[in-house]
Amino acid sequence: MSAIILAGKIYAEQLKQAAKNKINALIEKTGIHPGLTVIIVGEDPASQIYVRNKHRTCEEMGINSQIVRLPADVSKNELIKNIKMLNENKTVHGILLQLPLPQHLQKYESEILYKIAPHKDVDGFHPVNVGKLSIGEKALVPCTPFGCIKMLELANIPIDGKNAVIIGRSNIVGKPMANLLLAHNATVTICHSHTKNLPYITANADILISAVGKPGFVTADMVKPGATVIDIGINRIAPKKIVGDVDFQNVKEKAGFITPVPGGVGLLTIAMLMHNTADAAYHQLL
Ligand code: NDP
C-alpha cells in the first residue's frame, strides 16, 4: 500500500494560523506588533527570494518586518555593528542573518551569528539557545527541525518510545532534530558520513529523517515497512527542478507516511519563524 503523503502546505497553514492567533493576542494585550529584522548581505538570488517570502509572510501575520540590505563587500565589523544596533532596538524582537554570507565573511559566520542577542535569535543558532534545547529548557529552536516535530504532532504520528533515526548531524538541522525527538521521548540515533552499515540502522527506524543533501540517498531497502519518512534535503538537480534525499517513488510504496520535496517540510520553516518571532516578542514584552 502506498504511504500517506504529509503535505507541508496543510501543516504550514495550521502552524501559521496558530502563530497568527498568538500574535493577535500579544497585540491585544500590549498594543505592540512583534518586529522581525532580516539582514541580507549581497545579492545572492536564492537569498533574495527567501527574504521576500519571509517579508510577505510577516505582513500577513501582523509582524513588522524590516530588511537591512548590506553590500556584498561589507566588512565583518560593519556587519556586527548593524547586529549590535538591532540588539539595542526595542522595536525589533527577532533578528535573522540570511545565509550564506559572501565568501570573505564565511570563516567568521559563527562569530557573527553569535553577536545576535540570544533572546532575539529567532533562528535558534546561538549557543545559549542550543544549550537550553539540549538540557530541555525553553529555547528558541531552529525552524526546520521545530517544524518537523510540529508536523508529526499535528499528523498524530506517535513519537514517544519510537525508534527515530536521523541521517545528518549539522548544527542547524540534524543535532536540534535529535534533541527535539529526545525531548519527545523517542529513542534517537544520529547517523553521519562515518556511520557503518547505515541501511541496517535506518531499517529499524519507526521515524526516519534525512538531512543529507544528496538526491536519491534514501532508498526503499533502507526503510522499515510502515515507517514515517521525513525528507529535509533540498537538492537542485536542474535549473527548475528540486528533489529531496529520498527516492520518493519507491520509498512511498514501503513507508506509512512520507513528506514530498518540494511541498514538504520546507514550507514549515517560515511558519516556525513566525512562531519564534512571536515567542521572542512575548518574552521581551510581557
Ligand atoms: P550539512 O551539509 O551541514 O550536513 C549534511 C549531513 O549529512 C552531515 O552530517 C554529513 O555527515 C551527512 N552525510 C553526508 N554524506 C553522508 C553519507 N554518505 N552517509 C551518512 N551521512 C552523510 O547540511 P544541512 O544539515 O545544512 O542540510 C541538509 C539538507 O537539508 C540539505 O539538502 C539542505 O539544503 C536541507 N535543508 C533544508 C531546509 C528546509 O527548510 N527544508 C533547511 C536547512 C537545510 P558528516 O557530518 O560526517 O559530514
Side-chain angles (χ1 to χ4, degrees), residues 130-196:
V130 175
K132 282 185 174 176
L133 175 64
S134 76
I135 58 172
E137 278 187 16
K138 198 168 162 33
L140 289 166
V141 176
C143 298
T144 303
F146 198 13
C148 292
I149 281 284
K150 290 285 175 194
M151 183 190 65
L152 289 171
E153 287 177 340
L154 288 171
N156 288 319
I157 294 170
I159 306 173
D160 197 314
K162 298 296 175 188
N163 266 342
V165 174
I166 304 152
I167 319 175
R169 59 172 165 180
S170 71
N171 292 334
I172 61 167
V173 187
K175 285 179 192 153
M177 191 73 248
N179 275 322
L180 285 166
L181 287 160
L182 198 56
H184 285 73
N185 297 323
T187 301
V188 181
T189 307
I190 308 175
C191 303
H192 46 78
S193 66
H194 297 247
T195 298
K196 302 269 187 287

Side-chain angles (χ1 to χ4, degrees), residues 19-70:
K20 196 164 174 33
N21 295 345
K22 213 190 269 188
I23 290 162
N24 287 344
L26 180 75
I27 297 169
E28 219 165 86
K29 250 190 208 150
T30 63
I32 297 169
H33 287 248
L36 174 67
T37 297
V38 177
I39 305 172
I40 178 163
V41 183
E43 304 290 332
D44 178 62
S47 294
Q48 300 285 342
I49 295 171
Y50 292 139
V51 170
R52 259 204 309 277
N53 287 344
K54 285 168 188 164
H55 182 70
R56 200 180 322 120
T57 312
C58 280
E59 289 192 328
E60 284 165 28
M61 293 281 131
I63 292 175
N64 284 334
S65 158
Q66 187 199 352
I67 302 172
V68 172
R69 294 181 189 279
L70 298 174

Side-chain angles (χ1 to χ4, degrees), residues 4 17 45 64 71-72 86 125 134 172 183 190 243 253 262 281:
I4 293 172
Q17 190 53 54
N64 284 334
L86 294 168
F125 294 163
S134 76
I172 61 167
I190 308 175
V243 297
E253 298 309 321

